[in-house]
Amino acid sequence: MIPAPFDYVLPETLDEALQALLLSETKLLAGGQSLLPILKLRLAAPGRLVDLGKIPELARIEVRRDGIVLGAMATHASIEDSSELAKVSPLLPEVAAAIGDRQVRNRGTIGGSLAHADPAADWPAAILALDAALVAASPPGPRTIPARDFFKGLMSTALAPHEILLAVQIPRSGPGGAAYQKARQSASGFALAGVAVVLEYGGGGVCKKAAIGVTGVADRPYRATAAEQALAGKKLDDASIVAAAALASHGVLEPLSDMHASGEYRLHLVRVHCARALKRAAGLSR
Ligand SMILES: Cc1cc2nc3c(=O)[nH]c(=O)nc-3n(C[C@H](O)[C@H](O)[C@H](O)COP(=O)(O)OP(=O)(O)OC[C@H]3O[C@@H](n4cnc5c(N)ncnc54)[C@H](O)[C@@H]3O)c2cc1C
């Protein structure tokens, strides 16, 4: 459980971090919640770690007129504790609070979680449902990646090796509700199935738009588009929600299966938790 030797770099600006990342065998370090166990098990042995912890702009949480910006180094705990976020996008503190335990949330970051792309991580479901975009810095300049295009497979993302995830941009959503529901793996808290729902609804409780992000079930998080389409234009009630939730795993041909839950059980869980999240987001349950 002792990592192979590595050099440690603590840049104070983004430019310094980008330069350091150009050197071979270099890995970025956020809170170390995933990376350090990997190093200790010697599943990776980078020659150099570039710690992003001293670059102030990476830890920001900003509520703007047109949306929210979360710096990649914003910790789960800082998002959980933000009273501003609780007012404008309560889904974000809700998801943050569902991660691991408080010690993990004090160190773990939203950027580290997204870049690591664990298929059972909670944030990906939320950032998909919120139609977020991810901003990455690279030596030629920044680029923006829609959340839908970010996750490429098991622990694989659209980030290039010399890119640093800078921030998550979340647009404002219309009037409605949102909720996150998950079945937790009892030791770690990771999602056996997690469903984030953002609903926009108008008069008479009719659903204008449903956005449903799912994690824990497939090799990468996904938008449950069949379930979303089933709800659009419908009155949000128990019957329409149960019918839509039955489609939450539509298209998942090879569900994740391990010692914690079989694929079949995960498919069941995603439908159950989708219905629960939809009911809460629609104000039909607490
Ligand atoms: C006991 C335990 C329980 C947990 N439970 C949960 C849970 O219930 N739900 C959940 O979602 N997660 C859970 N986690 C994971 C936790 O949420 C961390 O956020 C996640 O492990 C990422 O850790 P980190 O932010 O410290 O990143 P690190 O471990 O420092 O880095 C992770 C990876 O991302 C890369 N990286 C980091 N930052 C950037 C960046 N800005 N740009 C590009 N690449 C970057 C690193 O190079 C590394 O490859 C748990 C972790 C532990 C240890």
Side-chain angles (χ1 to χ4, degrees):
M1 294 294 275
I2 296 176
F6 54 81
D7 290 337
Y8 174 79
V9 183
L10 187 60
E12 293 189 5
T13 67
L14 189 59
D15 278 348
E16 283 171 36
L18 282 168
Q19 287 306 315
L21 196 53
L22 287 176
L23 301 169
S24 62
E25 292 192 18
T26 301
K27 265 315 242 172
L28 294 172
L29 174 68
Q33 295 298 290
S34 290
L35 187 56
L36 291 189
I38 289 170
L39 299 189
K40 287 181 174 180
L41 291 168
R42 300 213 175 192
L43 297 172
R48 187 176 303 96
L49 290 189
V50 177
D51 188 339
L52 296 175
K54 277 268 188 281
I55 306 173
E57 74 246 40
L58 290 184
R60 71 202 153 130
I61 294 177
E62 278 177 24
V63 176
R64 299 177 178 172
R65 215 183 269 205
D66 58 344
I68 295 163
V69 179
L70 301 175
M73 289 292 286
T75 61
H76 312 317
S78 67
I79 297 171
E80 177 183 8
D81 294 347
S82 165
S83 50
E84 262 198 301
L85 290 179
K87 276 188 227 140
V88 296
S89 184
L91 181 67
L92 293 168
E94 182 184 351
V95 171
I99 294 173
D101 51 39
R102 186 68 189 190
Q103 285 92 331
V104 168
R105 300 199 291 274
N106 278 335
R107 297 291 310 166
T109 65
I110 187 166
S113 174
L114 296 173
H116 190 60
D118 189 302
D122 294 293
W123 281 124
I127 70 142
L128 281 170
L130 289 164
D131 272 327
L134 291 95
V135 186
S138 62
R143 73 179 176 118
T144 301
I145 309 161
R148 276 174 188 258
D149 300 333
F150 187 73
F151 302 100
K152 295 295 183 194
L154 200 72
M155 301 185 131
S156 163
T157 72
L159 284 177
H162 300 312
E163 286 185 318
I164 299 177
L165 184 58
L166 291 182
V168 182
Q169 294 176 334
I170 299 160
R172 284 225 179 219
S173 8
Y180 183 62
Q181 285 286 147
K182 75 167 168 176
R184 295 168 65 94
Q185 201 266 79
S186 51
S188 67
F190 273 107
L192 296 174
V195 183
V197 164
V198 178
L199 291 179
E200 287 183 25
Y201 40 82
V206 170
C207 175
K208 281 193 186 160
K209 185 184 161 201
I212 303 173
V214 178
T215 188
V217 179
D219 70 340
R220 70 199 78 175
Y222 63 91
R223 279 279 290 260
T225 47
E228 294 174 0
Q229 284 159 11
L231 273 181
K234 297 261 168 59
K235 185 166 165 47
L236 290 161
D237 56 24
D238 279 1
S240 65
I241 283 175
V242 169
L247 299 170
S249 59
H250 182 77
V252 181
L253 302 179
E254 291 184 36
L256 294 177
S257 184
D258 57 24
M259 62 187 284
H260 304 298
S262 67
E264 197 184 347
Y265 185 47
R266 281 185 158 90
L267 294 180
H268 167 72
L269 288 174
V270 72
R271 292 178 209 125
V272 170
H273 286 273
C274 184
R276 288 182 187 168
L278 283 168
K279 283 182 191 171
R280 276 186 45 224
L284 299 175
S285 71
R286 307 185 84 216

